[in-house]
Amino acid sequence: MSGLNNPNPAVSDNRNALRFGFTPQSENWNGRFAMIGFVSIILIEVLSGQGFLHFWGIV
């Protein structure tokens, strides 16, 4: 019963903590990196005047 009064939980509630595996924290980081990727693609297209695939020579 001594574990019930433990003030330090085994898992941190910090949503910005970098954790591996399928955790809510990893989903937050995945969403952040996806937003950075989309903004980067838009900036490349706006600043270069070409599509993303044309800019990298894929198409």
Side-chain angles (χ1 to χ4, degrees):
M1 302 243 12
S2 64
L4 295 175
N5 295 328
N6 187 1
N8 298 326
V11 177
S12 174
D13 290 334
N14 185 1
R15 292 182 182 248
N16 292 323
L18 183 59
R19 300 198 185 280
F20 296 102
F22 297 107
T23 63
Q25 291 86 2
S26 65
E27 291 299 320
N28 285 340
W29 282 105
N30 187 22
R32 291 172 184 161
F33 288 135
M35 288 184 275
I36 290 171
F38 285 127
V39 169
S40 300
I41 289 172
I42 291 171
L43 286 175
I44 287 173
E45 290 186 359
V46 168
L47 297 176
S48 70
Q50 302 175 6
F52 177 73
L53 297 177
H54 288 272
F55 180 78
W56 288 104
I58 296 173
V59 175

